[in-house]
Amino acid sequence: MRRVLRPGGWLHVIAEDYGMLHMPAGPLDPDEFWHEGPVKFTARTGTDARIGRHAWGPMQRLGLEQLRVDYVIVDTLRVPRETFARIITAWRDGYVDALADGSPHPPQWFRAHFDQVIASILDPGQYCVWMVPVLSGRRPL
C-alpha cells in the first residue's frame, strides 16, 4: 500500500472487526455467535475477522505519519434500523452455509443467531452497535 501511495498521500483502511459487534443477549448469546461464526470461519480461510484490533502495528510499520484510528459507528441510533437489519440479513442469506461448513454447529444454529440479531436490531427497545475501525495515515513527503 505504501509503495503505490504518492508522497504526501493519505491512506485510509476500513479494518472491520467482528468482535466489535454488540447486541443484547437473548436466549442465544450474540458474542458467542460472532466468535463461533465469522471469527472461526475466517481463521479457517487464513484471514482475520478481528483485523480492526490488529491493524495498528502493520499500519505503523508502513512508516506513515499522523497515524490515527477513527470509527464508523453503525448503530440503531445513527442508522435506520431497517438498513442495519438488511446488512445482517444479507450476511445471513449469503453466509449461513459457509459458516457451518467445517464448524461443529449446523446451519440452523447460525440462522437462529442471525435471526435473533436481526430481531434485536429491529426492536425499538434494544440498542445494537457495530464499531468499524478506520485507520488513516499520510506517507511522508
Side-chain angles (χ1 to χ4, degrees):
M1 291 183 285
R2 186 178 193 281
R3 182 181 58 77
V4 299
L5 187 62
R6 69 177 171 82
W10 283 89
L11 175 65
H12 303 280
V13 175
I14 297 173
E16 294 181 354
D17 191 314
Y18 291 82
M20 295 184 183
L21 282 138
H22 303 284
M23 286 80 185
L28 303 172
D29 182 355
D31 295 335
E32 176 187 20
F33 167 67
W34 297 115
H35 179 74
E36 291 293 313
V39 171
K40 287 194 174 177
F41 171 77
T42 58
R44 291 192 303 270
T45 64
T47 55
D48 184 359
R50 293 181 286 194
I51 191 64
R53 68 192 71 190
H54 301 136
W56 179 263
M59 290 288 286
Q60 192 176 43
R61 287 189 292 278
L62 291 175
L64 301 174
E65 301 174 335
Q66 302 175 41
L67 190 59
R68 62 181 289 153
V69 180
D70 294 295
Y71 290 85
V72 172
I73 305 296
V74 179
D75 71 356
T76 51
L77 298 176
R78 293 166 181 84
V79 175
R81 288 179 182 271
E82 295 75 21
T83 301
F84 193 178
R86 280 196 303 270
I87 293 167
I88 305 302
T89 299
W91 292 356
R92 180 198 64 199
D93 295 349
Y95 290 106
V96 163
D97 291 332
L99 292 171
D101 188 33
S103 166
H105 303 292
Q108 298 82 355
W109 187 89
F110 292 100
R111 179 170 290 281
H113 280 81
F114 271 122
D115 288 344
Q116 179 180 290
V117 166
I118 293 163
S120 293
I121 292 168
L122 291 172
D123 180 347
Q126 303 285 339
Y127 175 77
C128 303
V129 60
W130 182 20
M131 298 176 295
V132 184
V134 179
L135 291 89
S136 302
R138 184 173 172 265
R139 182 175 173 183
L141 291 171

